[in-house]
Tab-separated table of all heavy atoms in Angstrom:
chain	number	residue	atom	x	y	z
A	1	MET	N	0.826	-1.180	0.009
A	1	MET	CA	0.016	-0.009	0.021
A	1	MET	C	0.896	1.194	-0.018
A	1	MET	O	1.744	1.374	0.745
A	1	MET	CB	-0.927	-0.031	1.253
A	1	MET	CG	-1.812	1.122	1.297
A	1	MET	SD	-2.937	0.842	2.670
A	1	MET	CE	-3.558	2.525	2.790
A	2	GLU	N	0.534	2.147	-0.938
A	2	GLU	CA	1.390	3.393	-0.993
A	2	GLU	C	1.000	4.375	0.091
A	2	GLU	O	-0.087	4.476	0.510
A	2	GLU	CB	1.148	4.018	-2.298
A	2	GLU	CG	1.873	3.319	-3.430
A	2	GLU	CD	1.716	4.108	-4.798
A	2	GLU	OE1	1.769	5.370	-4.715
A	2	GLU	OE2	1.599	3.469	-5.817
A	3	ASN	N	2.001	5.114	0.502
A	3	ASN	CA	1.837	6.163	1.451
A	3	ASN	C	1.008	7.347	0.745
A	3	ASN	O	1.621	7.907	-0.209
A	3	ASN	CB	3.135	6.645	2.013
A	3	ASN	CG	2.952	7.662	3.130
A	3	ASN	OD1	1.844	8.026	3.481
A	3	ASN	ND2	4.091	7.973	3.716
A	4	SER	N	-0.095	7.693	1.276
A	4	SER	CA	-0.915	8.752	0.591
A	4	SER	C	-0.343	10.099	0.625
A	4	SER	O	-0.571	10.890	-0.212
A	4	SER	CB	-2.333	8.742	1.113
A	4	SER	OG	-2.240	9.092	2.472
A	5	SER	N	0.540	10.327	1.622
A	5	SER	CA	1.187	11.690	1.836
A	5	SER	C	2.227	11.907	0.758
A	5	SER	O	2.520	13.049	0.469
A	5	SER	CB	1.696	11.879	3.179
A	5	SER	OG	2.765	11.031	3.471
A	6	SER	N	2.865	10.843	0.212
A	6	SER	CA	3.797	10.984	-0.703
A	6	SER	C	3.350	10.787	-2.164
A	6	SER	O	4.233	10.893	-3.074
A	6	SER	CB	5.031	10.058	-0.469
A	6	SER	OG	4.533	8.637	-0.698
A	7	GLN	N	2.112	10.471	-2.321
A	7	GLN	CA	1.570	10.240	-3.721
A	7	GLN	C	1.666	11.424	-4.597
A	7	GLN	O	2.081	11.394	-5.770
A	7	GLN	CB	0.155	9.743	-3.715
A	7	GLN	CG	0.039	8.235	-3.644
A	7	GLN	CD	-1.455	7.833	-3.569
A	7	GLN	OE1	-2.309	8.630	-3.300
A	7	GLN	NE2	-1.627	6.624	-4.062
A	8	ASN	N	1.084	12.588	-4.103
A	8	ASN	CA	0.902	13.697	-5.004
A	8	ASN	C	1.888	14.829	-4.716
A	8	ASN	O	1.525	16.023	-4.717
A	8	ASN	CB	-0.512	14.203	-4.824
A	8	ASN	CG	-1.476	13.252	-5.415
A	8	ASN	OD1	-1.220	12.568	-6.420
A	8	ASN	ND2	-2.617	13.094	-4.773
A	9	HIS	N	3.130	14.517	-4.279
A	9	HIS	CA	4.138	15.532	-3.961
A	9	HIS	C	4.894	15.799	-5.139
A	9	HIS	O	5.963	15.167	-5.267
A	9	HIS	CB	4.901	15.134	-2.782
A	9	HIS	CG	4.187	15.330	-1.447
A	9	HIS	ND1	4.776	15.847	-0.354
A	9	HIS	CD2	2.877	15.097	-1.119
A	9	HIS	CE1	3.890	15.822	0.602
A	9	HIS	NE2	2.779	15.413	0.184
A	10	HIS	N	4.562	16.701	-6.036
A	10	HIS	CA	5.332	17.100	-7.107
A	10	HIS	C	5.952	18.439	-6.836
A	10	HIS	O	5.245	19.391	-6.347
A	10	HIS	CB	4.451	17.247	-8.374
A	10	HIS	CG	3.770	15.960	-8.761
A	10	HIS	ND1	4.554	14.882	-9.349
A	10	HIS	CD2	2.518	15.478	-8.681
A	10	HIS	CE1	3.676	13.874	-9.563
A	10	HIS	NE2	2.528	14.170	-9.145
A	11	HIS	N	7.215	18.564	-6.997
A	11	HIS	CA	7.927	19.827	-6.636
A	11	HIS	C	8.012	20.760	-7.898
A	11	HIS	O	8.807	20.499	-8.740
A	11	HIS	CB	9.321	19.518	-6.077
A	11	HIS	CG	9.211	18.780	-4.761
A	11	HIS	ND1	8.797	19.438	-3.605
A	11	HIS	CD2	9.420	17.519	-4.486
A	11	HIS	CE1	8.840	18.472	-2.649
A	11	HIS	NE2	9.285	17.390	-3.091
A	12	HIS	N	7.103	21.675	-7.946
A	12	HIS	CA	7.162	22.664	-8.996
A	12	HIS	C	7.671	23.916	-8.390
A	12	HIS	O	7.279	24.508	-7.394
A	12	HIS	CB	5.747	22.942	-9.530
A	12	HIS	CG	5.114	21.695	-10.153
A	12	HIS	ND1	5.595	21.252	-11.361
A	12	HIS	CD2	4.234	20.820	-9.783
A	12	HIS	CE1	4.884	20.183	-11.721
A	12	HIS	NE2	3.996	19.927	-10.753
A	13	HIS	N	8.747	24.436	-9.063
A	13	HIS	CA	9.373	25.658	-8.685
A	13	HIS	C	8.875	26.794	-9.446
A	13	HIS	O	9.293	27.029	-10.593
A	13	HIS	CB	10.970	25.602	-8.783
A	13	HIS	CG	11.447	24.512	-7.825
A	13	HIS	ND1	11.667	24.703	-6.474
A	13	HIS	CD2	11.911	23.245	-8.043
A	13	HIS	CE1	12.116	23.632	-5.937
A	13	HIS	NE2	12.268	22.730	-6.884
A	14	HIS	N	7.860	27.552	-8.959
A	14	HIS	CA	7.385	28.696	-9.621
A	14	HIS	C	8.144	29.909	-9.342
A	14	HIS	O	8.561	30.055	-8.181
A	14	HIS	CB	5.937	28.853	-9.188
A	14	HIS	CG	5.012	27.732	-9.570
A	14	HIS	ND1	4.580	27.496	-10.896
A	14	HIS	CD2	4.439	26.819	-8.853
A	14	HIS	CE1	3.828	26.489	-10.956
A	14	HIS	NE2	3.691	26.027	-9.717
A	15	ARG	N	8.292	30.726	-10.236
A	15	ARG	CA	8.960	32.021	-9.992
A	15	ARG	C	7.929	33.011	-9.600
A	15	ARG	O	7.125	33.478	-10.341
A	15	ARG	CB	9.754	32.525	-11.284
A	15	ARG	CG	10.887	31.673	-11.617
A	15	ARG	CD	11.990	32.629	-12.342
A	15	ARG	NE	13.095	31.794	-12.561
A	15	ARG	CZ	14.231	31.904	-11.901
A	15	ARG	NH1	14.389	32.775	-10.864
A	15	ARG	NH2	15.240	31.177	-12.143
A	16	HIS	N	7.986	33.318	-8.328
A	16	HIS	CA	7.044	34.333	-7.840
A	16	HIS	C	7.642	35.737	-7.961
A	16	HIS	O	8.818	35.933	-7.883
A	16	HIS	CB	6.684	34.006	-6.326
A	16	HIS	CG	6.040	32.674	-6.132
A	16	HIS	ND1	4.736	32.446	-6.578
A	16	HIS	CD2	6.443	31.573	-5.690
A	16	HIS	CE1	4.386	31.255	-6.234
A	16	HIS	NE2	5.473	30.641	-5.746
A	17	ARG	N	6.733	36.740	-8.077
A	17	ARG	CA	7.159	38.082	-8.111
A	17	ARG	C	7.786	38.464	-6.737
A	17	ARG	O	7.241	37.920	-5.698
A	17	ARG	CB	6.017	39.013	-8.432
A	17	ARG	CG	5.570	38.856	-9.865
A	17	ARG	CD	4.425	39.764	-10.257
A	17	ARG	NE	4.888	41.182	-9.928
A	17	ARG	CZ	4.029	42.208	-9.792
A	17	ARG	NH1	2.762	42.007	-9.737
A	17	ARG	NH2	4.483	43.396	-9.575
A	18	LYS	N	8.817	39.276	-6.764
A	18	LYS	CA	9.401	39.656	-5.426
A	18	LYS	C	8.425	40.585	-4.730
A	18	LYS	O	7.885	41.470	-5.352
A	18	LYS	CB	10.745	40.325	-5.712
A	18	LYS	CG	11.691	39.370	-6.249
A	18	LYS	CD	13.017	40.109	-6.515
A	18	LYS	CE	14.051	39.139	-7.157
A	18	LYS	NZ	15.192	39.816	-7.474
A	19	ASP	N	8.233	40.304	-3.419
A	19	ASP	CA	7.363	41.213	-2.720
A	19	ASP	C	8.142	42.508	-2.251
A	19	ASP	O	9.277	42.559	-2.545
A	19	ASP	CB	6.746	40.456	-1.488
A	19	ASP	CG	7.874	40.020	-0.420
A	19	ASP	OD1	9.052	40.073	-0.963
A	19	ASP	OD2	7.561	39.706	0.677
A	20	HIS	N	7.422	43.350	-1.664
A	20	HIS	CA	7.942	44.618	-1.273
A	20	HIS	C	9.164	44.545	-0.375
A	20	HIS	O	10.134	45.189	-0.552
A	20	HIS	CB	6.860	45.544	-0.683
A	20	HIS	CG	7.327	46.932	-0.275
A	20	HIS	ND1	7.699	47.900	-1.224
A	20	HIS	CD2	7.609	47.386	0.912
A	20	HIS	CE1	8.125	48.912	-0.564
A	20	HIS	NE2	8.011	48.675	0.761
A	21	ALA	N	8.966	43.658	0.489
A	21	ALA	CA	10.098	43.473	1.526
A	21	ALA	C	11.340	42.964	0.909
A	21	ALA	O	12.422	43.398	1.266
A	21	ALA	CB	9.596	42.570	2.749
A	22	THR	N	11.244	42.072	-0.037
A	22	THR	CA	12.435	41.517	-0.708
A	22	THR	C	13.078	42.542	-1.537
A	22	THR	O	14.330	42.682	-1.555
A	22	THR	CB	12.016	40.252	-1.594
A	22	THR	OG1	11.368	39.329	-0.719
A	22	THR	CG2	13.182	39.645	-2.176
A	23	ARG	N	12.219	43.264	-2.329
A	23	ARG	CA	12.890	44.345	-3.076
A	23	ARG	C	13.490	45.442	-2.329
A	23	ARG	O	14.576	45.955	-2.599
A	23	ARG	CB	11.760	44.998	-3.958
A	23	ARG	CG	11.264	44.064	-5.145
A	23	ARG	CD	10.368	44.822	-6.167
A	23	ARG	NE	9.350	45.639	-5.516
A	23	ARG	CZ	8.092	45.333	-5.385
A	23	ARG	NH1	7.741	44.108	-5.930
A	23	ARG	NH2	7.227	46.086	-4.885
A	24	PHE	N	12.873	45.810	-1.146
A	24	PHE	CA	13.494	46.778	-0.259
A	24	PHE	C	14.789	46.256	0.302
A	24	PHE	O	15.763	47.024	0.385
A	24	PHE	CB	12.580	47.024	0.915
A	24	PHE	CG	13.107	47.992	1.945
A	24	PHE	CD1	13.055	49.388	1.743
A	24	PHE	CD2	13.614	47.534	3.109
A	24	PHE	CE1	13.578	50.267	2.694
A	24	PHE	CE2	14.088	48.396	4.051
A	24	PHE	CZ	14.103	49.746	3.846
A	25	LYS	N	14.869	45.013	0.688
A	25	LYS	CA	16.102	44.429	1.224
A	25	LYS	C	17.162	44.495	0.174
A	25	LYS	O	18.409	44.811	0.464
A	25	LYS	CB	15.873	42.986	1.739
A	25	LYS	CG	16.978	42.381	2.406
A	25	LYS	CD	16.622	40.992	2.936
A	25	LYS	CE	17.848	40.381	3.594
A	25	LYS	NZ	17.559	38.971	4.069
A	26	GLU	N	16.909	44.093	-1.041
A	26	GLU	CA	17.937	44.038	-2.084
A	26	GLU	C	18.366	45.491	-2.406
A	26	GLU	O	19.572	45.675	-2.595
A	26	GLU	CB	17.309	43.467	-3.413
A	26	GLU	CG	17.145	41.959	-3.397
A	26	GLU	CD	16.561	41.374	-4.580
A	26	GLU	OE1	16.227	42.137	-5.546
A	26	GLU	OE2	16.542	40.119	-4.710
A	27	ARG	N	17.458	46.478	-2.462
A	27	ARG	CA	17.891	47.785	-2.654
A	27	ARG	C	18.793	48.307	-1.532
A	27	ARG	O	19.762	48.994	-1.806
A	27	ARG	CB	16.698	48.717	-2.872
A	27	ARG	CG	16.040	48.583	-4.242
A	27	ARG	CD	15.149	49.782	-4.572
A	27	ARG	NE	14.012	49.938	-3.596
A	27	ARG	CZ	12.853	49.362	-3.777
A	27	ARG	NH1	12.561	48.728	-4.756
A	27	ARG	NH2	11.962	49.474	-2.847
A	28	SER	N	18.391	47.930	-0.398
A	28	SER	CA	19.231	48.482	0.871
A	28	SER	C	20.583	47.811	0.820
A	28	SER	O	21.655	48.515	1.086
A	28	SER	CB	18.560	48.016	2.178
A	28	SER	OG	17.296	48.698	2.229
A	29	LEU	N	20.749	46.511	0.546
A	29	LEU	CA	21.992	45.847	0.472
A	29	LEU	C	22.870	46.426	-0.691
A	29	LEU	O	24.077	46.703	-0.534
A	29	LEU	CB	21.815	44.394	0.265
A	29	LEU	CG	21.280	43.603	1.482
A	29	LEU	CD1	21.028	42.161	1.142
A	29	LEU	CD2	22.244	43.695	2.683
A	30	ASN	N	22.226	46.688	-1.853
A	30	ASN	CA	22.937	47.252	-3.004
A	30	ASN	C	23.459	48.682	-2.641
A	30	ASN	O	24.555	49.076	-3.017
A	30	ASN	CB	22.040	47.286	-4.199
A	30	ASN	CG	21.882	45.929	-4.790
A	30	ASN	OD1	22.666	45.084	-4.566
A	30	ASN	ND2	20.883	45.811	-5.575
A	31	ALA	N	22.646	49.456	-1.906
A	31	ALA	CA	22.980	50.833	-1.557
A	31	ALA	C	24.238	50.757	-0.533
A	31	ALA	O	25.134	51.559	-0.649
A	31	ALA	CB	21.946	51.604	-0.891
A	32	ILE	N	24.219	49.751	0.417
A	32	ILE	CA	25.335	49.680	1.325
A	32	ILE	C	26.642	49.320	0.621
A	32	ILE	O	27.727	49.892	0.836
A	32	ILE	CB	24.996	48.544	2.369
A	32	ILE	CG1	23.876	49.039	3.277
A	32	ILE	CG2	26.242	48.168	3.180
A	32	ILE	CD1	23.286	48.031	4.176
A	33	VAL	N	26.626	48.338	-0.321
A	33	VAL	CA	27.748	47.967	-1.111
A	33	VAL	C	28.227	49.122	-1.969
A	33	VAL	O	29.467	49.419	-1.997
A	33	VAL	CB	27.340	46.719	-2.074
A	33	VAL	CG1	28.462	46.530	-3.078
A	33	VAL	CG2	27.168	45.566	-1.262
A	34	LEU	N	27.300	49.927	-2.613
A	34	LEU	CA	27.790	51.039	-3.406
A	34	LEU	C	28.381	52.174	-2.409
A	34	LEU	O	29.385	52.575	-2.840
A	34	LEU	CB	26.523	51.663	-4.083
A	34	LEU	CG	26.876	52.915	-4.934
A	34	LEU	CD1	27.759	52.547	-6.085
A	34	LEU	CD2	25.435	53.488	-5.484
A	35	ARG	N	27.823	52.350	-1.303
A	35	ARG	CA	28.326	53.414	-0.365
A	35	ARG	C	29.751	52.976	0.042
A	35	ARG	O	30.717	53.798	0.112
A	35	ARG	CB	27.371	53.506	0.778
A	35	ARG	CG	27.807	54.685	1.663
A	35	ARG	CD	26.805	54.908	2.839
A	35	ARG	NE	25.379	54.829	2.374
A	35	ARG	CZ	24.561	53.945	2.812
A	35	ARG	NH1	24.840	53.082	3.715
A	35	ARG	NH2	23.310	53.959	2.419
A	36	ARG	N	29.924	51.659	0.378
A	36	ARG	CA	31.259	51.248	0.872
A	36	ARG	C	32.326	51.377	-0.255
A	36	ARG	O	33.483	51.816	-0.030
A	36	ARG	CB	31.308	49.746	1.303
A	36	ARG	CG	30.565	49.672	2.734
A	36	ARG	CD	30.596	48.232	3.106
A	36	ARG	NE	29.887	48.063	4.431
A	36	ARG	CZ	29.441	46.986	4.916
A	36	ARG	NH1	29.652	45.828	4.262
A	36	ARG	NH2	28.941	46.918	6.107
A	37	ARG	N	31.899	51.034	-1.511
A	37	ARG	CA	32.822	51.103	-2.667
A	37	ARG	C	33.217	52.588	-2.880
A	37	ARG	O	34.325	52.885	-3.153
A	37	ARG	CB	32.196	50.624	-3.831
A	37	ARG	CG	33.086	50.343	-5.068
A	37	ARG	CD	32.363	49.602	-6.174
A	37	ARG	NE	31.925	48.303	-5.751
A	37	ARG	CZ	30.895	47.614	-6.230
A	37	ARG	NH1	30.048	48.136	-7.085
A	37	ARG	NH2	30.687	46.350	-5.775
A	38	MET	N	32.168	53.535	-2.789
A	38	MET	CA	32.458	54.915	-2.978
A	38	MET	C	33.325	55.493	-1.860
A	38	MET	O	34.292	56.334	-2.167
A	38	MET	CB	31.093	55.715	-3.061
A	38	MET	CG	30.356	55.560	-4.382
A	38	MET	SD	28.851	56.447	-4.395
A	38	MET	CE	29.401	58.114	-4.331
A	39	GLU	N	33.172	55.074	-0.642
A	39	GLU	CA	33.964	55.476	0.493
A	39	GLU	C	35.398	55.156	0.250
A	39	GLU	O	36.320	55.951	0.471
A	39	GLU	CB	33.429	54.877	1.762
A	39	GLU	CG	32.188	55.578	2.239
A	39	GLU	CD	31.677	54.975	3.556
A	39	GLU	OE1	32.261	53.973	4.044
A	39	GLU	OE2	30.711	55.418	4.096
A	40	LYS	N	35.580	53.905	-0.276
A	40	LYS	CA	36.953	53.359	-0.508
A	40	LYS	C	37.717	54.253	-1.538
A	40	LYS	O	38.819	54.698	-1.361
A	40	LYS	CB	36.959	51.913	-0.989
A	40	LYS	CG	38.255	51.341	-1.473
A	40	LYS	CD	38.041	49.981	-2.014
A	40	LYS	CE	39.283	49.546	-2.777
A	40	LYS	NZ	39.092	48.326	-3.405
A	41	TRP	N	37.012	54.563	-2.616
A	41	TRP	CA	37.579	55.363	-3.710
A	41	TRP	C	37.798	56.783	-3.346
A	41	TRP	O	38.745	57.449	-3.714
A	41	TRP	CB	36.770	55.247	-5.017
A	41	TRP	CG	37.015	53.865	-5.674
A	41	TRP	CD1	36.075	52.902	-5.704
A	41	TRP	CD2	38.212	53.445	-6.281
A	41	TRP	NE1	36.632	51.828	-6.370
A	41	TRP	CE2	37.940	52.171	-6.716
A	41	TRP	CE3	39.453	54.044	-6.534
A	41	TRP	CZ2	38.938	51.368	-7.374
A	41	TRP	CZ3	40.397	53.279	-7.111
A	41	TRP	CH2	40.143	51.982	-7.616
A	42	LEU	N	36.880	57.296	-2.483
A	42	LEU	CA	37.005	58.708	-2.023
A	42	LEU	C	38.248	58.820	-1.137
A	42	LEU	O	38.946	59.901	-1.063
A	42	LEU	CB	35.760	59.214	-1.381
A	42	LEU	CG	34.586	59.581	-2.340
A	42	LEU	CD1	33.322	59.886	-1.597
A	42	LEU	CD2	35.035	60.783	-3.150
A	43	LYS	N	38.463	57.804	-0.221
A	43	LYS	CA	39.680	57.819	0.616
A	43	LYS	C	40.903	57.746	-0.161
A	43	LYS	O	41.898	58.565	0.157
A	43	LYS	CB	39.600	56.545	1.580
A	43	LYS	CG	38.535	56.763	2.708
A	43	LYS	CD	38.553	55.558	3.553
A	43	LYS	CE	37.426	55.621	4.608
A	43	LYS	NZ	37.396	54.388	5.462
A	44	ILE	N	40.870	56.985	-1.258
A	44	ILE	CA	42.155	56.908	-2.114
A	44	ILE	C	42.315	58.252	-2.716
A	44	ILE	O	43.474	58.743	-2.736
A	44	ILE	CB	41.978	55.835	-3.158
A	44	ILE	CG1	41.946	54.457	-2.419
A	44	ILE	CG2	43.024	55.831	-4.128
A	44	ILE	CD1	41.652	53.228	-3.338
A	45	LEU	N	41.248	58.825	-3.231
A	45	LEU	CA	41.385	60.160	-3.971
A	45	LEU	C	41.885	61.242	-2.934
A	45	LEU	O	42.722	61.993	-3.230
A	45	LEU	CB	39.967	60.578	-4.534
A	45	LEU	CG	39.959	61.888	-5.203
A	45	LEU	CD1	40.844	61.923	-6.395
A	45	LEU	CD2	38.473	62.248	-5.469
A	46	LEU	N	41.355	61.203	-1.714
A	46	LEU	CA	41.790	62.232	-0.679
A	46	LEU	C	43.247	62.009	-0.337
A	46	LEU	O	44.054	62.995	-0.121
A	46	LEU	CB	40.960	62.058	0.588
A	46	LEU	CG	39.594	62.735	0.582
A	46	LEU	CD1	38.805	62.416	1.782
A	46	LEU	CD2	39.770	64.248	0.336
A	47	CYS	N	43.738	60.761	-0.273
A	47	CYS	CA	45.194	60.499	-0.033
A	47	CYS	C	46.018	61.034	-1.191
A	47	CYS	O	47.039	61.603	-0.957
A	47	CYS	CB	45.398	59.002	0.153
A	47	CYS	SG	44.799	58.442	1.790
A	48	VAL	N	45.537	60.852	-2.391
A	48	VAL	CA	46.314	61.319	-3.600
A	48	VAL	C	46.357	62.850	-3.550
A	48	VAL	O	47.400	63.466	-3.726
A	48	VAL	CB	45.700	60.758	-4.855
A	48	VAL	CG1	46.313	61.480	-6.032
A	48	VAL	CG2	45.863	59.319	-4.938
A	49	VAL	N	45.236	63.451	-3.284
A	49	VAL	CA	45.234	64.975	-3.200
A	49	VAL	C	46.101	65.480	-2.074
A	49	VAL	O	46.919	66.450	-2.276
A	49	VAL	CB	43.751	65.435	-3.008
A	49	VAL	CG1	43.720	66.921	-2.722
A	49	VAL	CG2	42.969	65.150	-4.263
A	50	ALA	N	46.089	64.823	-0.879
A	50	ALA	CA	46.899	65.212	0.224
A	50	ALA	C	48.322	65.080	-0.120
A	50	ALA	O	49.211	66.012	0.217
A	50	ALA	CB	46.574	64.397	1.453
A	51	LEU	N	48.740	64.021	-0.753
A	51	LEU	CA	50.102	63.724	-1.179
A	51	LEU	C	50.594	64.800	-2.142
A	51	LEU	O	51.710	65.275	-2.041
A	51	LEU	CB	50.313	62.323	-1.757
A	51	LEU	CG	51.665	61.921	-2.135
A	51	LEU	CD1	52.497	61.877	-0.853
A	51	LEU	CD2	51.675	60.562	-2.789
A	52	ALA	N	49.682	65.111	-3.171
A	52	ALA	CA	50.016	66.203	-4.132
A	52	ALA	C	50.235	67.489	-3.403
A	52	ALA	O	51.134	68.284	-3.756
A	52	ALA	CB	48.938	66.254	-5.152
A	53	MET	N	49.429	67.781	-2.339
A	53	MET	CA	49.585	69.080	-1.662
A	53	MET	C	50.865	69.166	-0.926
A	53	MET	O	51.584	70.143	-0.933
A	53	MET	CB	48.377	69.329	-0.743
A	53	MET	CG	47.095	69.618	-1.460
A	53	MET	SD	45.650	69.709	-0.365
A	53	MET	CE	46.114	71.180	0.525
A	54	VAL	N	51.306	68.024	-0.353
A	54	VAL	CA	52.501	67.949	0.453
A	54	VAL	C	53.652	68.138	-0.483
A	54	VAL	O	54.608	68.927	-0.275
A	54	VAL	CB	52.648	66.599	1.157
A	54	VAL	CG1	54.060	66.422	1.773
A	54	VAL	CG2	51.708	66.559	2.306
A	55	VAL	N	53.639	67.438	-1.644
A	55	VAL	CA	54.747	67.535	-2.621
A	55	VAL	C	54.844	69.088	-3.173
A	55	VAL	O	55.931	69.605	-3.237
A	55	VAL	CB	54.498	66.605	-3.784
A	55	VAL	CG1	55.486	66.909	-4.959
A	55	VAL	CG2	54.725	65.187	-3.368
A	56	THR	N	53.689	69.663	-3.342
A	56	THR	CA	53.713	71.086	-3.785
A	56	THR	C	54.257	72.015	-2.794
A	56	THR	O	55.068	72.843	-3.090
A	56	THR	CB	52.215	71.485	-4.146
A	56	THR	OG1	51.681	70.620	-5.219
A	56	THR	CG2	52.190	72.945	-4.717
A	57	VAL	N	53.838	71.794	-1.558
A	57	VAL	CA	54.344	72.635	-0.454
A	57	VAL	C	55.907	72.512	-0.263
A	57	VAL	O	56.641	73.456	-0.135
A	57	VAL	CB	53.639	72.348	0.927
A	57	VAL	CG1	54.318	72.969	2.018
A	57	VAL	CG2	52.182	72.897	0.788
A	58	VAL	N	56.318	71.294	-0.293
A	58	VAL	CA	57.794	71.120	-0.178
A	58	VAL	C	58.532	71.603	-1.388
A	58	VAL	O	59.544	72.311	-1.185
A	58	VAL	CB	58.077	69.504	-0.027
A	58	VAL	CG1	59.586	69.250	-0.164
A	58	VAL	CG2	57.551	69.002	1.309
A	59	TYR	N	57.998	71.494	-2.537
A	59	TYR	CA	58.587	72.057	-3.832
A	59	TYR	C	58.667	73.571	-3.675
A	59	TYR	O	59.729	74.177	-3.888
A	59	TYR	CB	57.807	71.561	-5.002
A	59	TYR	CG	58.279	72.281	-6.231
A	59	TYR	CD1	59.362	71.769	-6.903
A	59	TYR	CD2	57.558	73.285	-6.858
A	59	TYR	CE1	59.733	72.339	-8.186
A	59	TYR	CE2	57.912	73.907	-7.944
A	59	TYR	CZ	59.046	73.393	-8.653
A	59	TYR	OH	59.515	74.036	-9.810
A	60	LEU	N	57.577	74.198	-3.321
A	60	LEU	CA	57.617	75.707	-3.198
A	60	LEU	C	58.496	76.149	-2.057
A	60	LEU	O	59.081	77.236	-2.215
A	60	LEU	CB	56.174	76.167	-3.001
A	60	LEU	CG	55.214	76.050	-4.264
A	60	LEU	CD1	53.818	76.424	-3.841
A	60	LEU	CD2	55.737	76.851	-5.440
A	61	TYR	N	58.573	75.452	-0.982
A	61	TYR	CA	59.358	75.843	0.140
A	61	TYR	C	60.881	75.801	-0.218
A	61	TYR	O	61.633	76.757	0.151
A	61	TYR	CB	59.052	74.925	1.370
A	61	TYR	CG	59.874	75.327	2.592
A	61	TYR	CD1	59.458	76.434	3.301
A	61	TYR	CD2	60.986	74.658	3.047
A	61	TYR	CE1	60.212	76.878	4.480
A	61	TYR	CE2	61.712	75.071	4.181
A	61	TYR	CZ	61.280	76.120	4.819
A	61	TYR	OH	62.023	76.468	6.011
A	62	PHE	N	61.336	74.788	-0.899
A	62	PHE	CA	62.686	74.662	-1.187
A	62	PHE	C	63.186	75.309	-2.452
A	62	PHE	O	64.294	75.679	-2.591
A	62	PHE	CB	63.084	73.088	-1.163
A	62	PHE	CG	63.159	72.523	0.196
A	62	PHE	CD1	62.193	71.554	0.631
A	62	PHE	CD2	64.144	72.859	1.065
A	62	PHE	CE1	62.350	71.019	1.865
A	62	PHE	CE2	64.211	72.252	2.375
A	62	PHE	CZ	63.297	71.414	2.748
A	63	LEU	N	62.309	75.479	-3.367
A	63	LEU	CA	62.682	75.978	-4.681
A	63	LEU	C	62.158	77.428	-4.971
A	63	LEU	O	62.625	77.963	-5.967
A	63	LEU	CB	62.278	75.048	-5.808
A	63	LEU	CG	62.952	73.670	-5.727
A	63	LEU	CD1	62.349	72.716	-6.786
A	63	LEU	CD2	64.380	73.726	-5.830
A	64	ALA	N	61.347	77.835	-4.156
A	64	ALA	CA	60.789	79.216	-4.381
A	64	ALA	C	61.542	80.228	-3.599
A	64	ALA	O	62.032	80.095	-2.609
A	64	ALA	CB	59.328	79.297	-4.146
């Protein structure tokens, strides 16, 4: 005798539309990743600008 609970168990994977909470979570995570990436590049840019300013000041102090 077959087990009736396992007779009609077909696993269909339907693609459901993302609900509001899922879309909000994805946007939030993407925003965090983008913000961290921008902070990294801005720190690098600030270091380059600061280094250029130091080089300029030393150049002007010794050669001007």
